[in-house]
mmCIF file of all heavy atoms in Angstrom:
data_model
loop_
_atom_site.group_PDB
_atom_site.id
_atom_site.type_symbol
_atom_site.label_atom_id
_atom_site.label_comp_id
_atom_site.label_asym_id
_atom_site.label_seq_id
_atom_site.Cartn_x
_atom_site.Cartn_y
_atom_site.Cartn_z
ATOM 1 N N ILE A 20 -2.134 25.656 -13.451
ATOM 2 C CA ILE A 20 -2.505 26.096 -12.102
ATOM 3 C C ILE A 20 -1.489 25.590 -11.083
ATOM 4 O O ILE A 20 -1.137 26.300 -10.144
ATOM 5 C CB ILE A 20 -3.950 25.666 -11.743
ATOM 6 C CG1 ILE A 20 -4.463 26.389 -10.489
ATOM 7 C CG2 ILE A 20 -4.049 24.188 -11.496
ATOM 8 C CD1 ILE A 20 -5.013 27.715 -10.804
ATOM 9 N N GLU A 21 -0.997 24.362 -11.277
ATOM 10 C CA GLU A 21 0.038 23.848 -10.378
ATOM 11 C C GLU A 21 1.328 24.644 -10.522
ATOM 12 O O GLU A 21 2.007 24.909 -9.535
ATOM 13 C CB GLU A 21 0.299 22.360 -10.670
ATOM 14 C CG GLU A 21 -0.845 21.447 -10.279
ATOM 15 C CD GLU A 21 -0.634 20.016 -10.743
ATOM 16 O OE1 GLU A 21 0.138 19.799 -11.696
ATOM 17 O OE2 GLU A 21 -1.247 19.125 -10.139
ATOM 18 N N GLN A 22 1.632 25.054 -11.737
ATOM 19 C CA GLN A 22 2.825 25.872 -11.976
ATOM 20 C C GLN A 22 2.685 27.218 -11.274
ATOM 21 O O GLN A 22 3.634 27.719 -10.674
ATOM 22 C CB GLN A 22 3.045 26.074 -13.478
ATOM 23 C CG GLN A 22 4.296 26.848 -13.817
ATOM 24 C CD GLN A 22 5.556 26.127 -13.398
ATOM 25 O OE1 GLN A 22 5.663 24.920 -13.553
ATOM 26 N NE2 GLN A 22 6.507 26.862 -12.867
ATOM 27 N N LEU A 23 1.487 27.786 -11.336
ATOM 28 C CA LEU A 23 1.246 29.057 -10.646
ATOM 29 C C LEU A 23 1.402 28.906 -9.138
ATOM 30 O O LEU A 23 1.996 29.758 -8.477
ATOM 31 C CB LEU A 23 -0.144 29.591 -10.987
ATOM 32 C CG LEU A 23 -0.321 30.170 -12.377
ATOM 33 C CD1 LEU A 23 -1.780 30.536 -12.608
ATOM 34 C CD2 LEU A 23 0.558 31.386 -12.551
ATOM 35 N N PHE A 24 0.865 27.816 -8.571
ATOM 36 C CA PHE A 24 1.007 27.595 -7.141
ATOM 37 C C PHE A 24 2.470 27.397 -6.760
ATOM 38 O O PHE A 24 2.938 27.908 -5.737
ATOM 39 C CB PHE A 24 0.171 26.398 -6.683
ATOM 40 C CG PHE A 24 -1.304 26.693 -6.560
ATOM 41 C CD1 PHE A 24 -2.246 25.847 -7.132
ATOM 42 C CD2 PHE A 24 -1.754 27.811 -5.873
ATOM 43 C CE1 PHE A 24 -3.603 26.118 -7.024
ATOM 44 C CE2 PHE A 24 -3.107 28.080 -5.754
ATOM 45 C CZ PHE A 24 -4.033 27.232 -6.338
ATOM 46 N N ALA A 25 3.204 26.664 -7.585
ATOM 47 C CA ALA A 25 4.625 26.455 -7.311
ATOM 48 C C ALA A 25 5.383 27.780 -7.391
ATOM 49 O O ALA A 25 6.239 28.071 -6.537
ATOM 50 C CB ALA A 25 5.207 25.447 -8.296
ATOM 51 N N ASP A 26 5.060 28.596 -8.396
ATOM 52 C CA ASP A 26 5.693 29.907 -8.513
ATOM 53 C C ASP A 26 5.351 30.792 -7.317
ATOM 54 O O ASP A 26 6.202 31.522 -6.812
ATOM 55 C CB ASP A 26 5.253 30.599 -9.800
ATOM 56 C CG ASP A 26 5.841 29.951 -11.042
ATOM 57 O OD1 ASP A 26 6.803 29.153 -10.905
ATOM 58 O OD2 ASP A 26 5.338 30.234 -12.147
ATOM 59 N N LYS A 27 4.117 30.715 -6.868
ATOM 60 C CA LYS A 27 3.684 31.505 -5.718
ATOM 61 C C LYS A 27 4.472 31.123 -4.475
ATOM 62 O O LYS A 27 4.932 31.988 -3.723
ATOM 63 C CB LYS A 27 2.184 31.288 -5.485
ATOM 64 C CG LYS A 27 1.610 32.072 -4.338
ATOM 65 C CD LYS A 27 0.121 31.798 -4.199
ATOM 66 C CE LYS A 27 -0.470 32.498 -3.008
ATOM 67 N NZ LYS A 27 -1.897 32.204 -2.848
ATOM 68 N N ILE A 28 4.669 29.825 -4.268
ATOM 69 C CA ILE A 28 5.435 29.359 -3.112
ATOM 70 C C ILE A 28 6.887 29.824 -3.206
ATOM 71 O O ILE A 28 7.467 30.298 -2.222
ATOM 72 C CB ILE A 28 5.335 27.818 -2.995
ATOM 73 C CG1 ILE A 28 3.908 27.429 -2.617
ATOM 74 C CG2 ILE A 28 6.323 27.278 -1.980
ATOM 75 C CD1 ILE A 28 3.624 25.938 -2.749
ATOM 76 N N ASP A 29 7.461 29.724 -4.404
ATOM 77 C CA ASP A 29 8.843 30.178 -4.601
ATOM 78 C C ASP A 29 8.983 31.672 -4.345
ATOM 79 O O ASP A 29 9.922 32.119 -3.691
ATOM 80 C CB ASP A 29 9.311 29.864 -6.022
ATOM 81 C CG ASP A 29 9.549 28.386 -6.247
ATOM 82 O OD1 ASP A 29 9.679 27.639 -5.246
ATOM 83 O OD2 ASP A 29 9.597 27.975 -7.432
ATOM 84 N N ILE A 30 8.044 32.443 -4.860
ATOM 85 C CA ILE A 30 8.103 33.896 -4.694
ATOM 86 C C ILE A 30 7.931 34.282 -3.233
ATOM 87 O O ILE A 30 8.618 35.179 -2.732
ATOM 88 C CB ILE A 30 7.054 34.584 -5.592
ATOM 89 C CG1 ILE A 30 7.471 34.429 -7.057
ATOM 90 C CG2 ILE A 30 6.881 36.052 -5.224
ATOM 91 C CD1 ILE A 30 6.437 34.887 -8.044
ATOM 92 N N LYS A 31 7.031 33.610 -2.529
ATOM 93 C CA LYS A 31 6.858 33.901 -1.108
ATOM 94 C C LYS A 31 8.134 33.603 -0.330
ATOM 95 O O LYS A 31 8.520 34.362 0.554
ATOM 96 C CB LYS A 31 5.691 33.100 -0.531
ATOM 97 C CG LYS A 31 4.345 33.686 -0.836
ATOM 98 C CD LYS A 31 3.239 32.938 -0.119
ATOM 99 C CE LYS A 31 1.899 33.580 -0.376
ATOM 100 N NZ LYS A 31 0.826 32.945 0.380
ATOM 101 N N ALA A 32 8.800 32.500 -0.665
ATOM 102 C CA ALA A 32 10.057 32.159 0.012
ATOM 103 C C ALA A 32 11.124 33.218 -0.278
ATOM 104 O O ALA A 32 11.841 33.654 0.622
ATOM 105 C CB ALA A 32 10.534 30.779 -0.431
ATOM 106 N N LYS A 33 11.215 33.649 -1.539
ATOM 107 C CA LYS A 33 12.185 34.678 -1.895
ATOM 108 C C LYS A 33 11.858 36.000 -1.202
ATOM 109 O O LYS A 33 12.757 36.727 -0.789
ATOM 110 C CB LYS A 33 12.219 34.861 -3.409
ATOM 111 C CG LYS A 33 12.871 33.704 -4.135
ATOM 112 C CD LYS A 33 12.837 33.896 -5.631
ATOM 113 C CE LYS A 33 13.422 32.694 -6.354
ATOM 114 N NZ LYS A 33 13.341 32.833 -7.820
ATOM 115 N N CYS A 34 10.574 36.311 -1.089
ATOM 116 C CA CYS A 34 10.157 37.538 -0.403
ATOM 117 C C CYS A 34 10.544 37.500 1.071
ATOM 118 O O CYS A 34 10.991 38.504 1.624
ATOM 119 C CB CYS A 34 8.654 37.755 -0.542
ATOM 120 S SG CYS A 34 8.151 38.338 -2.164
ATOM 121 N N ARG A 35 10.368 36.344 1.713
ATOM 122 C CA ARG A 35 10.761 36.228 3.119
ATOM 123 C C ARG A 35 12.263 36.431 3.283
ATOM 124 O O ARG A 35 12.707 37.095 4.215
ATOM 125 C CB ARG A 35 10.347 34.870 3.678
ATOM 126 C CG ARG A 35 8.904 34.853 4.132
ATOM 127 C CD ARG A 35 8.554 33.555 4.839
ATOM 128 N NE ARG A 35 7.450 32.986 4.089
ATOM 129 C CZ ARG A 35 7.453 31.843 3.419
ATOM 130 N NH1 ARG A 35 8.467 31.055 3.477
ATOM 131 N NH2 ARG A 35 6.418 31.454 2.736
ATOM 132 N N ILE A 36 13.043 35.885 2.358
ATOM 133 C CA ILE A 36 14.492 36.053 2.429
ATOM 134 C C ILE A 36 14.861 37.525 2.238
ATOM 135 O O ILE A 36 15.674 38.073 2.998
ATOM 136 C CB ILE A 36 15.181 35.162 1.373
ATOM 137 C CG1 ILE A 36 15.013 33.683 1.737
ATOM 138 C CG2 ILE A 36 16.659 35.514 1.251
ATOM 139 C CD1 ILE A 36 15.419 32.725 0.632
ATOM 140 N N GLN A 37 14.258 38.186 1.232
ATOM 141 C CA GLN A 37 14.532 39.599 0.999
ATOM 142 C C GLN A 37 14.096 40.450 2.183
ATOM 143 O O GLN A 37 14.775 41.397 2.560
ATOM 144 C CB GLN A 37 13.813 40.094 -0.255
ATOM 145 C CG GLN A 37 14.537 39.966 -1.561
ATOM 146 C CD GLN A 37 15.932 40.504 -1.544
ATOM 147 O OE1 GLN A 37 16.868 39.733 -1.504
ATOM 148 N NE2 GLN A 37 16.124 41.793 -1.584
ATOM 149 N N GLU A 38 12.949 40.126 2.758
ATOM 150 C CA GLU A 38 12.451 40.872 3.911
ATOM 151 C C GLU A 38 13.415 40.748 5.080
ATOM 152 O O GLU A 38 13.700 41.731 5.766
ATOM 153 C CB GLU A 38 11.068 40.348 4.301
ATOM 154 C CG GLU A 38 10.412 41.127 5.412
ATOM 155 C CD GLU A 38 9.022 40.601 5.731
ATOM 156 O OE1 GLU A 38 8.546 39.681 5.045
ATOM 157 O OE2 GLU A 38 8.424 41.120 6.676
ATOM 158 N N LYS A 39 13.945 39.556 5.280
ATOM 159 C CA LYS A 39 14.913 39.344 6.354
ATOM 160 C C LYS A 39 16.169 40.179 6.112
ATOM 161 O O LYS A 39 16.686 40.823 7.030
ATOM 162 C CB LYS A 39 15.261 37.861 6.446
ATOM 163 C CG LYS A 39 16.175 37.516 7.591
ATOM 164 C CD LYS A 39 16.463 36.037 7.639
ATOM 165 C CE LYS A 39 17.463 35.724 8.738
ATOM 166 N NZ LYS A 39 17.858 34.327 8.748
ATOM 167 N N LYS A 40 16.656 40.193 4.866
ATOM 168 C CA LYS A 40 17.842 40.984 4.540
ATOM 169 C C LYS A 40 17.581 42.472 4.748
ATOM 170 O O LYS A 40 18.421 43.193 5.291
ATOM 171 C CB LYS A 40 18.263 40.732 3.093
ATOM 172 C CG LYS A 40 18.895 39.380 2.869
ATOM 173 C CD LYS A 40 19.272 39.195 1.408
ATOM 174 C CE LYS A 40 19.836 37.831 1.135
ATOM 175 N NZ LYS A 40 20.148 37.633 -0.292
ATOM 176 N N LEU A 41 16.414 42.943 4.306
ATOM 177 C CA LEU A 41 16.080 44.352 4.478
ATOM 178 C C LEU A 41 15.968 44.728 5.950
ATOM 179 O O LEU A 41 16.428 45.797 6.361
ATOM 180 C CB LEU A 41 14.770 44.679 3.764
ATOM 181 C CG LEU A 41 14.860 44.867 2.257
ATOM 182 C CD1 LEU A 41 13.469 45.027 1.668
ATOM 183 C CD2 LEU A 41 15.721 46.051 1.900
ATOM 184 N N ASN A 42 15.361 43.861 6.740
ATOM 185 C CA ASN A 42 15.258 44.132 8.171
ATOM 186 C C ASN A 42 16.634 44.217 8.813
ATOM 187 O O ASN A 42 16.871 45.078 9.669
ATOM 188 C CB ASN A 42 14.414 43.057 8.860
ATOM 189 C CG ASN A 42 12.939 43.223 8.588
ATOM 190 O OD1 ASN A 42 12.482 44.325 8.274
ATOM 191 N ND2 ASN A 42 12.191 42.143 8.694
ATOM 192 N N GLU A 43 17.556 43.334 8.405
ATOM 193 C CA GLU A 43 18.916 43.395 8.924
ATOM 194 C C GLU A 43 19.591 44.694 8.520
ATOM 195 O O GLU A 43 20.276 45.328 9.331
ATOM 196 C CB GLU A 43 19.724 42.197 8.429
ATOM 197 C CG GLU A 43 19.294 40.883 9.040
ATOM 198 C CD GLU A 43 19.962 39.678 8.374
ATOM 199 O OE1 GLU A 43 20.723 39.864 7.397
ATOM 200 O OE2 GLU A 43 19.721 38.552 8.839
ATOM 201 N N ASP A 44 19.378 45.117 7.259
ATOM 202 C CA ASP A 44 19.969 46.372 6.793
ATOM 203 C C ASP A 44 19.411 47.564 7.569
ATOM 204 O O ASP A 44 20.155 48.461 7.974
ATOM 205 C CB ASP A 44 19.719 46.564 5.299
ATOM 206 C CG ASP A 44 20.514 45.591 4.440
ATOM 207 O OD1 ASP A 44 21.482 44.989 4.966
ATOM 208 O OD2 ASP A 44 20.161 45.421 3.258
ATOM 209 N N PHE A 45 18.091 47.587 7.782
ATOM 210 C CA PHE A 45 17.491 48.699 8.516
ATOM 211 C C PHE A 45 17.943 48.717 9.971
ATOM 212 O O PHE A 45 18.135 49.783 10.544
ATOM 213 C CB PHE A 45 15.966 48.655 8.425
ATOM 214 C CG PHE A 45 15.426 49.186 7.132
ATOM 215 C CD1 PHE A 45 14.608 48.419 6.340
ATOM 216 C CD2 PHE A 45 15.739 50.460 6.701
ATOM 217 C CE1 PHE A 45 14.110 48.902 5.147
ATOM 218 C CE2 PHE A 45 15.253 50.957 5.500
ATOM 219 C CZ PHE A 45 14.438 50.171 4.725
#
Side-chain angles (χ1 to χ4, degrees):
I20 193 84
E21 291 173 337
Q22 183 64 41
L23 286 175
F24 283 131
D26 289 345
K27 181 179 176 182
I28 292 168
D29 288 343
I30 291 172
K31 281 186 177 184
K33 288 178 183 177
C34 285
R35 277 187 238 116
I36 292 169
Q37 271 310 104
E38 185 178 356
K39 184 179 176 185
K40 287 179 183 178
L41 281 174
N42 285 336
E43 290 171 357
D44 290 343
F45 281 124

